Amino acid sequence: MQNTDETRNRLIRVFTENHMEKIFYFCLKKTGNSTEAEDLTQDISFQVLSALNRGIVPMNFSAWVWQIARNRYSVWAKEKHTRNESVTGSDIGDYEIEDNSEIIIDEMIRTEQTALLRRELAFIRGDYRNIIVAYYIENKTVRSIALSLSISESAVEQRLHRARIILKEGMNMAREFGKRSYCPDDIAFVTSGSQPSGLPWKAVKRKIPKNILLQASNNPSTINELSIELGIALPYMEEEIGILCDATLLEKQGNKYITNLFILDKDCRVEIYNRLRESAEERSRLLRAFIEDRLTDIRKLGIVNDSIDDNEVRWWLVPYLLDYLIKNAVNSVSAWDPPKRANGESWGIVGYECTTLPEETGMEHCGAGDDHNNFWAYYYGDITVTDPCEIPEFEDVLLLCDYFRKHLNGEPLSDFEKSLAGSRNNGYAHLSDDGHLVPDIILLTSDSVNRIRDLFREHTVFARLNRNMTEAYASVEKVLKKYSHEVLHKNLGYNIRMELYATRMMAVHDLVENGFLILPDDPGKSHIGQYFELGQP
């Protein structure tokens, strides 16, 4: 058939891009020698390209190419037989070796699945993979590979032999990737502590590291196992593993890696929720009893002005008192603080596999300031009592706290200080007629904090609340140990505390339902849950 220039050029491009590499593997298998394989490949390519240039357009291009390849191999085998017959006494059948086991390269060529070979190359060790690529793809000799790697030729041959076995095993198996290679699990992370380097967030902001951490959670795994489970080629997996180890989120144990943080799967989360919910009604009832009994005494401590109603104080007291109970239930100071990291920072991180619980249990507690001057805000999960406020800038917190101290000491502000306070108070305070900066949210001092705790500890409900929280601590500890590898137990106290914070929203839900906490009429203008805390200057 006649061929146009366009058709001929297209078929030449298809041949060079899709067939030449396969033909070389075919020739390498048949000849057993890379030099002879190269010569035979050139011969086959010459025959194909010459035919195309003569205007031949085959009906089935691939079948036509492979017919030429088989014919030219037959010619090569006969010529080699003729040359060697008198010396070796070999028979032509020696060059048509039957391979009932379907060795890799023949299988690849027969099915034309170079993608299969490339897939398997992604899942073998780097030292094997590099030699396979150099030998079969880059056509390098054993000698040149040995020189480039500074190893012996026999070492190269041994690795080639081993790599062929691994590749054959992989190509002969129906490799099943784990579910996470196609359906990435969604993990939400919660952190605490000081994170100036950007860790841990910058290490877990993508799906791949998230899924590595989930797969290795309580499941020590080799890089190969992680690679296969997640369907990620080894070179990329090795890089991701390195990043996570440097971030102290993965820990190496022998040749395996395990996630160095708690990632609570769905079953674990549900079990912890159920344990905490069992004792929530008692906590809510006892908290209400204390607040009703001592709210007047707490107001007398001067932590709020007359414009702040009792309901706003109750909204703040519920999580604040629970935080004190949680801290009191943790047995060691080290368990209260976030874990120390290799870079000197101190931060903690917990992962949660997304699931639907019977109620929202998350409540953020965010702030700004230093050891002596702080602004804090509780965010009440699924109950919108206030629009999410912007945390004041560090400098503004220090400024306002300094002016609040002057107010407590009876010192009016200068005109310059008044102008600064007016531009930076963000609605948290107002200037009185006599020149003082009066807080419009709760203002705590060291003395008032100590007195509130004294009132709490001295009350009849405290012992029962403390026992309730201590039992909740033990309950959560039991569940976390059940669902975790022992490598995580060194920071167990910290992680128990993080789970106990769910008691905040459980109490809020209970107390909203029974009418003790009332939603504000205008949530957008509410300062519920916000407070300043002044330490000793």
Side-chain angles (χ1 to χ4, degrees):
M1 298 181 183
Q2 295 301 309
N3 181 22
T4 64
D5 289 343
E6 183 178 347
T7 301
R8 180 195 63 205
N9 292 338
R10 179 180 61 80
L11 291 176
I12 290 173
R13 186 169 61 254
V14 169
F15 173 72
T16 55
E17 292 178 357
N18 298 340
H19 290 79
M20 284 192 70
E21 184 178 25
K22 301 174 188 177
I23 287 171
F24 173 73
Y25 290 140
F26 169 81
C27 296
L28 184 63
K29 169 59 180 65
K30 294 299 185 183
T31 64
N33 180 287
S34 60
T35 301
E36 290 183 331
E38 290 174 358
D39 291 340
L40 182 55
T41 301
Q42 290 176 4
D43 181 24
I44 294 168
S45 300
F46 176 76
Q47 297 296 327
V48 170
L49 296 175
S50 295
L52 291 175
N53 283 325
R54 290 198 303 272
I56 293 176
V57 180
M59 294 294 293
N60 186 327
F61 184 70
S62 181
W64 175 74
V65 167
W66 285 108
Q67 185 60 52
I68 292 176
R70 285 189 289 271
N71 289 343
R72 295 312 302 168
Y73 167 70
S74 180
V75 171
W76 175 88
K78 288 177 182 178
E79 290 177 350
K80 184 160 187 175
H81 168 70
T82 300
R83 288 194 303 270
N84 296 341
E85 185 178 15
S86 61
V87 177
T88 65
S90 59
D91 185 81
I92 186 66
D94 296 339
Y95 301 101
E96 290 289 350
I97 301 171
E98 291 294 328
D99 190 354
N100 295 326
S101 64
E102 293 186 332
I103 291 179
I104 316 164
I105 300 173
D106 276 352
E107 173 68 8
M108 180 199 70
I109 292 169
R110 186 174 67 80
T111 59
E112 297 189 36
Q113 288 183 314
T114 51
L116 187 59
L117 176 64
R118 293 184 186 279
R119 184 199 74 183
E120 291 308 316
L121 282 173
F123 294 106
I124 67 171
R125 260 176 36 192
D127 51 352
Y128 289 156
R129 180 176 62 250
N130 294 337
I131 288 178
I132 283 286
V133 170
Y135 188 77
Y136 287 116
I137 307 287
E138 299 173 355
N139 301 323
K140 293 182 178 179
T141 65
V142 169
R143 178 177 174 78
S144 66
I145 296 171
L147 287 172
S148 66
L149 297 178
S150 300
I151 60 177
S152 67
E153 291 183 33
S154 63
V156 173
E157 290 170 349
Q158 288 172 3
R159 292 183 191 180
L160 272 173
H161 175 70
R162 177 61 184 150
R164 290 188 190 106
I165 293 173
I166 296 171
L167 283 172
K168 179 184 176 220
E169 290 172 350
M171 293 181 73
N172 284 346
M173 68 186 275
R175 191 184 293 280
E176 294 183 2
F177 296 119
K179 65 176 183 176
R180 294 187 186 98
S181 59
Y182 307 111
C183 302
D185 290 89
D186 194 6
I187 310 172
F189 289 102
V190 174
T191 67
S192 63
S194 175
Q195 305 158 9
S197 69
L199 289 172
W201 286 113
K202 68 181 183 182
V204 298
K205 63 184 178 182
R206 294 172 296 112
K207 288 184 177 180
I208 288 177
K210 284 183 180 181
N211 287 341
I212 292 171
L213 291 173
L214 186 59
Q215 178 60 27
S217 179
N218 304 320
N219 178 35
S221 306
T222 65
I223 293 184
N224 249 32
E225 289 166 345
L226 291 169
S227 181
I228 291 169
E229 175 64 25
L230 299 179
I232 299 170
L234 271 179
Y236 303 105
M237 181 60 72
E238 290 163 352
E239 182 179 23
E240 297 290 349
I241 292 289
I243 292 171
L244 291 172
C245 283
D246 290 343
T248 67
L249 300 178
L250 272 183
E251 182 172 307
K252 189 173 184 181
Q253 296 186 325
N255 69 335
K256 295 190 174 185
Y257 296 85
I258 186 167
T259 301
N260 194 27
L261 68 137
F262 273 89
I263 298 181
L264 282 63
D265 65 18
K266 296 175 183 178
D267 292 340
C268 182
R269 292 191 64 192
V270 169
E271 190 165 340
I272 288 176
Y273 169 82
N274 289 334
R275 295 288 185 92
L276 293 177
R277 218 339 138 181
E278 287 171 1
S279 56
E281 185 178 342
E282 181 186 43
R283 283 191 299 273
S284 302
R285 176 173 52 80
L286 294 174
L287 281 171
R288 175 171 182 168
F290 168 76
I291 295 171
E292 285 180 331
D293 198 28
R294 289 289 183 264
L295 183 58
T296 300
D297 295 328
I298 291 172
R299 289 192 68 106
K300 287 179 180 178
L301 298 175
I303 66 170
V304 294
N305 61 49
D306 292 339
S307 66
I308 299 174
D309 63 25
D310 287 351
N311 182 54
E312 187 166 331
V313 180
R314 289 196 293 265
W315 273 96
W316 163 74
L317 266 174
V318 169
Y320 189 80
L321 293 174
L322 282 167
D323 283 355
Y324 179 71
L325 286 168
I326 292 168
K327 186 171 183 178
N328 203 57
V330 178
N331 297 321
S332 70
V333 175
S334 61
W336 176 254
D337 297 326
K340 286 284 186 182
R341 301 294 168 173
N343 64 0
E345 295 175 354
S346 181
W347 47 262
I349 177 170
V350 185
Y352 297 93
E353 188 176 5
C354 293
T355 189
T356 302
L357 297 174
E359 62 185 303
E360 173 61 52
T361 59
M363 179 188 289
E364 292 185 61
H365 188 218
C366 304
D370 59 20
D371 291 340
H372 308 291
N373 311 275
N374 284 284
F375 168 88
W376 293 101
Y378 288 110
Y379 296 103
Y380 297 85
D382 58 338
I383 297 180
T384 305
V385 295
T386 180
D387 288 343
C389 67
E390 290 187 12
I391 302 297
E393 295 293 333
F394 175 78
E395 293 79 6
D396 290 346
V397 171
L398 300 190
L399 177 76
L400 292 174
C401 286
D402 185 47
Y403 290 175
F404 289 149
R405 284 191 177 89
K406 287 193 170 188
H407 165 66
L408 294 175
N409 293 330
E411 302 174 25
L413 301 182
S414 68
D415 290 341
F416 176 70
E417 289 172 332
K418 290 177 186 177
S419 65
L420 284 179
S423 63
R424 296 190 179 181
N425 71 52
N426 293 318
Y428 304 124
H430 68 274
L431 283 169
S432 65
D433 293 339
D434 57 357
H436 292 82
L437 186 67
V438 181
D440 288 324
I441 63 175
I442 293 166
L443 177 64
L444 300 178
T445 62
S446 298
D447 289 341
S448 61
V449 166
N450 290 333
R451 186 59 190 136
I452 290 170
R453 291 175 179 175
D454 288 342
L455 288 170
F456 193 31
R457 286 194 300 266
E458 292 164 2
H459 200 275
T460 55
V461 303
F462 180 78
R464 284 182 286 167
L465 274 169
N466 194 54
R467 182 173 62 251
N468 177 296
M469 190 62 74
T470 302
E471 289 171 353
Y473 181 101
S475 243
V476 172
E477 180 178 32
K478 186 175 180 179
V479 176
L480 286 180
K481 283 185 174 179
K482 172 183 172 182
Y483 284 90
S484 67
H485 190 278
E486 62 182 10
V487 74
L488 298 177
H489 295 176
K490 59 181 177 289
N491 294 318
L492 197 59
Y494 169 80
N495 287 279
I496 295 169
R497 172 169 65 94
M498 295 299 287
E499 297 315 302
L500 290 178
Y501 284 143
T503 61
R504 296 166 172 168
M505 280 307 300
M506 290 180 181
V508 167
H509 287 144
D510 290 346
L511 296 173
V512 167
E513 186 176 349
N514 66 28
F516 183 65
L517 297 179
I518 301 170
L519 293 171
D521 294 332
D522 189 353
K525 295 182 179 179
S526 171
H527 288 295
I528 282 177
Q530 302 171 11
Y531 62 102
F532 281 94
E533 190 166 6
L534 307 180
Q536 295 297 330

